[in-house]
């Protein structure tokens, strides 16, 4: 049930810290925040409505336009849902290449999330460092797929382009450079005294609260929720011995650090993928058929679910998308910033939960 | 005090100072792997409409008949630069980044089949779909000139007061009927399958 909030401080919908329009209604007593409520609905696109009646080759492009930051995973979850409906098997090489593209996208997404956080706590130097590093990652995504953001890399039964050994070598060299740079940035973040003042012990959410609020993704993992990464259940990631990153503090610092650790983990995963890339074909073929499925995958922000119904010709009859940020935003408003000591912490805590409003409102 | 030490340590590194004074932004160059808007190569278009069929963006590409030859025309405002038309074209008429070379190297292609259906409750029997259909116009020139046809070789025509699909197998999935239909009654189901040919054997 929605709480009634006697708004004394509205944050947004236009706010210099927000990347997208959202309104936080805060009830305050002096500096102390008593209640907070989120107001969404400023950028509804109606993508699910546009998707209806279209075949996969059109819906694929609409799906990745749901979110501009984590577009690859939207493509991946939609395509894997279609494959689940039609029993299409993916060649092992294609499955590994999908992981490469997805992890590159995850690195880019986590870096921009941490950029936003550093920018919000006014550490612009570190923020710009991270944004600069992200460019290298996007260049590699472009080398693999031809586009930086909306890549449309996966199709039912495989991927669109193969990864050449020389491109793979350039990618690994670039990622080694990214890893080196990131180690320094993480040290700056961990040891920076001013960053510590703004991050450690701010916006705490306990494990019990995190589970009660159904948080997902790095937000849940920072509060110590185990076994909440859907990559643990994905067959390709299982073959790569994926292990979940978990921290126990549950504050802003932990949420940002979880993302940093996941970036290192993603770099490792890409290395393992490229080293053990099986030979063979990258497309297996297979027509989309009629059926109904609900399929989830791990987006950079948490669990992403596509519920799809198709007709005999593989066209989408009905589709519903549940994106991860919706739970994290509500958890942020009701648990993280509840009883915050300062209004300034509301913005940074909200950004630390990595809200993606475009995802939420589709 | 700690923060001062922290900033001094961060910014008095020789590497950083060197960068600060001497680094120049590299000039912006378009990498060869960038997928731009598709451009025409010197190969001749055969008018098979595969590019129009696979295009996910509404009205981003049209294959037009100009001076006795077919020419694919890309509308940059609508095109989303996905490169699917380049990958799907069997003749290599379009090129974008290195998509064509990569698709040739990997021997990837798309297989496609179509199904036409008319929603009788929406159709108002105007016959726009039959007249607009580029295949219909090639099969029966009279249809192109006068808008009426008595030929039974066309894909579809108004017969007995309603649109009847006569030869679904001749459809190339170009969606022209779908875009020209004023009431949204015409639907072309395009079933596409991504395939790869390795060692000359199809999957």
């Amino acid at each position: 049930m929605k709480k009634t909030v006697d708004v004394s401080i509205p944050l947004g919908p236009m706010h210099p810290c927000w990347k997208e329009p959202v309104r936080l209604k805060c009830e305050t007593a002096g500096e102390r925040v008593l209640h907070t409520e989120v107001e969404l609905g400023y950028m509804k696109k109606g993508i699910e409505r546009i998707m209806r009646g279209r075949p996969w080759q059109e819906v694929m492009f609409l799906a990745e336009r749901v979110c501009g930051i984590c577009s690859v995973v939207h493509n991946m979850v939609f395509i894997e849902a279609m494959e689940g409906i039609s029993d299409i098997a993916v060649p092992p090489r294609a499955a590994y290449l999908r992981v490469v593209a997805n992890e590159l996208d995850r690195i880019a997404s986590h870096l921009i999330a941490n950029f936003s956080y550093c920018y919000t706590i006014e550490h612009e130097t570190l923020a710009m460092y991270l944004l600069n590093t992200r460019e290298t990652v996007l260049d590699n995504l472009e080398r693999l797929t031809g586009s930086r953001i909306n890549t449309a890399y996966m199709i039912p039964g495989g991927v669109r382009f193969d990864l050449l050994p020389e491109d793979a070598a350039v990618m690994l060299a670039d990622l080694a450079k990214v890893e080196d740079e990131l180690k320094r940035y993480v040290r700056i973040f961990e040891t920076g005294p001013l960053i510590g003042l703004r991050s450690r012990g701010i916006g705490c959410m306990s494990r019990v609260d995190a589970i009660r609020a159904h948080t997902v993704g790095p937000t849940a993992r920072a509060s110590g929720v185990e076994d909440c990464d859907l990559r643990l259940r994905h067959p390709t990631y299982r073959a790569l011995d994926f292990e979940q990153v978990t921290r126990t503090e549950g504050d802003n610092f932990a949420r940002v650090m979880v993302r940093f650790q996941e970036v290192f983990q993603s770099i490792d995963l890409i290395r393992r993928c490229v080293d053990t890339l099986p030979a063979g074909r990258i497309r297996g073929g297979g027509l989309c058929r009629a059926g109904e499925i609900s399929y989830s995958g791990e987006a950079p922000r948490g669990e992403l679910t596509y519920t799809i119904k198709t007709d005999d010709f593989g066209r989408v009859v009905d589709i519903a998308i549940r994106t991860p940020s919706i739970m994290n935003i509500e958890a942020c408003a009701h648990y993280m910033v509840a009883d915050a000591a300062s209004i300034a912490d509301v913005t940074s805590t909200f950004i630390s939960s990595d809200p993606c409003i475009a995802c939420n409102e589709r | 005090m700690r923060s001062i030490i922290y900033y001094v340590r961060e910014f008095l590194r020789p590497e950083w100072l060197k960068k600060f004074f001497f680094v120049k932004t590299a000039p912006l160059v378009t990498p060869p792997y960038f997928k731009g808007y598709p451009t025409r190569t010197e190969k001749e278009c055969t008018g098979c409409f595969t590019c129009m069929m696979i295009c996910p963006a509404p009205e981003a590409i049209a294959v037009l008949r100009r001076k006795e030859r077919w020419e694919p025309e890309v509308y940059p405002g609508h095109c989303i630069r996905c490169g699917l038309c380049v990958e799907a074209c069997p003749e290599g008429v379009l090129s974008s980044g290195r998509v064509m070379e990569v698709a040739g190297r990997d021997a990837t292609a798309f297989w496609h089949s179509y199904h036409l259906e008319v929603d009788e409750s929406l159709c108002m029997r105007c016959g726009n779909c039959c007249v607009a259909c580029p295949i219909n116009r090639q099969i029966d020139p009279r249809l192109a000139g006068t808008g009426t046809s008595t030929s039974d070789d066309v894909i579809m025509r108004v017969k007995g007061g309603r649109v009847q699909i006569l030869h679904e197998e001749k459809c190339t999935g170009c969606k022209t009927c779908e875009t020209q239909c004023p009431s949204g009654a015409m639907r072309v189901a395009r079933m596409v399958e991504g395939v790869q040919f390795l060692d000359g054997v199809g999957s």
Side-chain angles (χ1 to χ4, degrees), chain A residues 26-273:
Chain A
C26 302
E27 183 181 337
T28 54
E31 266 293 282
R32 188 160 287 278
V33 181
L34 302 176
H35 297 298
T36 318
E37 201 59 64
V38 189
E39 196 179 272
L40 294 166
Y42 290 98
M43 48 188 296
K44 176 77 180 165
K45 300 191 282 286
I47 285 190
E48 284 146 313
R49 173 69 188 78
I50 307 171
M51 281 174 175
R52 282 184 204 144
R54 290 176 189 272
W56 68 260
Q57 68 265 28
E58 290 181 14
V59 178
M60 170 173 100
F61 292 95
L62 287 165
E64 55 179 20
R65 276 156 181 77
V66 167
C67 179
I69 306 173
C70 51
S71 58
V72 173
V73 79
H74 276 270
N75 186 358
M76 181 161 167
V77 172
F78 168 70
I79 292 296
E80 286 186 352
M82 291 301 270
E83 283 168 355
I85 288 176
S86 328
D87 295 325
I88 299 173
V90 190
R93 188 178 178 86
Y96 274 59
L97 288 175
R98 281 181 183 187
V99 170
V100 171
N102 191 19
E103 291 307 313
L104 281 173
D105 183 61
R106 188 182 309 274
I107 296 172
S109 170
H110 280 346
L111 286 180
I112 206 168
N114 287 352
F115 149 81
S116 291
Y117 181 74
C118 295
Y119 196 75
T120 309
I121 61 169
E122 294 291 344
H123 199 310
E124 281 198 36
T125 313
L126 184 52
M128 291 304 161
Y129 281 175
L130 291 174
L131 212 54
N132 193 24
T133 310
R134 180 175 179 263
E135 285 303 307
T136 318
V137 180
L138 288 182
D139 282 348
N140 280 292
L141 202 56
E142 192 181 9
R143 194 173 293 120
L144 178 64
T145 66
S147 323
R148 282 156 49 95
I149 305 290
N150 292 317
T151 57
Y153 186 55
M154 297 147 204
I155 58 169
V159 294
R160 280 179 64 191
F161 309 119
D162 206 348
L163 177 66
L164 281 183
E166 55 260 36
D167 283 353
V170 177
M171 184 198 286
L172 289 187
D174 273 0
L175 285 178
K177 209 173 75 192
V178 167
E179 196 177 21
D180 267 6
E181 281 176 356
L182 270 176
K183 272 185 190 146
R184 204 163 67 78
Y185 303 154
V186 172
R187 205 193 67 228
I188 294 175
F189 190 84
E190 269 180 322
T191 55
L194 295 178
I195 296 174
L197 279 177
R198 289 297 307 271
S199 311
R200 286 181 202 262
I202 307 280
C204 283
M205 180 170 62
S206 67
R207 184 174 169 277
V208 180
D209 286 345
I211 291 170
R212 194 186 299 150
H214 300 281
T215 53
V216 287
T219 311
R221 295 198 275 279
S223 294
V225 181
E226 311 88 10
D227 197 26
C228 69
D229 197 320
L230 282 166
R231 283 179 284 173
L232 292 168
R233 287 171 184 71
H234 193 283
T236 321
Y237 283 97
R238 262 202 202 145
L240 291 164
D241 296 329
F242 172 78
E243 272 173 26
Q244 183 189 320
V245 173
T246 317
R247 284 181 86 94
T248 47
E249 299 101 309
D251 53 3
N252 289 357
F253 180 77
R255 282 189 278 278
V256 175
M257 281 308 291
V258 160
R259 275 184 228 118
F260 273 132
Q261 285 172 343
E262 285 195 6
V263 170
F264 290 120
Q265 191 188 31
S266 297
I267 293 175
D268 249 21
L269 277 172
I270 293 173
R271 268 196 205 124
R272 249 176 280 162
C273 264

Side-chain angles (χ1 to χ4, degrees), chain A residues 113 117 205 215-220 251-252 255-256 259 300-301 324-325 327-333 336 346-356:
Chain A
Y117 181 74
M205 180 170 62
T215 53
V216 287
T219 311
D251 53 3
N252 289 357
R255 282 189 278 278
V256 175
R259 275 184 228 118
R301 284 163 190 76
S325 294
M327 281 81 79
N328 291 350
I329 289 177
E330 289 293 325
C332 172
M336 292 180 208
V346 175
T347 49
S348 64
T349 308
F350 185 66
I351 293 295
S352 82
S353 73
D354 198 2
C356 182

Side-chain angles (χ1 to χ4, degrees), chain B residues 1-18:
Chain B
M1 191 60 208
R2 266 177 69 201
S3 49
I4 293 171
I5 294 168
Y6 163 72
Y7 279 106
V8 166
R9 209 177 62 187
E10 177 60 23
F11 295 114
L12 277 186
R13 285 178 302 125
E15 186 195 337
W16 196 92
L17 285 175
K18 210 174 112 197

Side-chain angles (χ1 to χ4, degrees), chain B residues 7 56 61 67 107 123 127 142 152 175 191-192 202-203:
Chain B
Y7 279 106
I61 191 164
K67 289 182 197 149
C123 179
R142 198 167 143 242
D152 274 350
K175 298 183 281 190
M191 291 156 281
V192 178
S203 63

Side-chain angles (χ1 to χ4, degrees), chain B residues 115-161:
Chain B
H115 171 74
L116 289 167
E117 60 191 22
V118 183
D119 189 339
E120 289 293 336
S121 61
L122 289 173
C123 179
M124 53 184 191
R125 285 84 162 144
C126 66
N128 271 7
C129 48
C130 315
V131 180
C133 175
I135 305 296
N136 266 6
R137 293 161 74 98
Q138 283 172 57
I139 295 170
D140 188 0
R142 198 167 143 242
L143 181 70
T146 63
T148 52
S149 174
T150 48
S151 163
D152 274 350
D153 295 332
V154 293
I155 296 177
M156 60 198 160
R157 70 181 176 90
V158 181
K159 194 176 176 186

Side-chain angles (χ1 to χ4, degrees), chain B residues 29-96:
Chain B
V29 280
T30 311
Y33 42 82
F34 169 74
K35 276 192 292 193
Y37 293 115
T39 48
R40 279 204 291 269
T41 59
E42 68 277 7
K43 299 241 179 67
E44 186 146 354
C45 176
T46 54
C48 68
F49 303 109
T50 314
C51 49
M52 281 176 84
M53 179 279 298
I54 199 113
C55 182
E59 295 170 54
I61 191 164
V63 181
L64 305 171
R65 186 88 180 152
R66 277 192 191 133
K67 289 182 197 149
E68 298 303 309
R69 54 185 291 186
W70 292 101
E71 278 181 11
E73 175 106 10
V74 177
Y75 301 107
H78 293 226
C79 178
I80 56 172
R81 300 187 316 209
C82 65
L84 277 184
C85 52
V86 181
E87 235 180 296
C89 181
E91 311 293 331
V93 177
L94 292 164
S95 154
S96 158

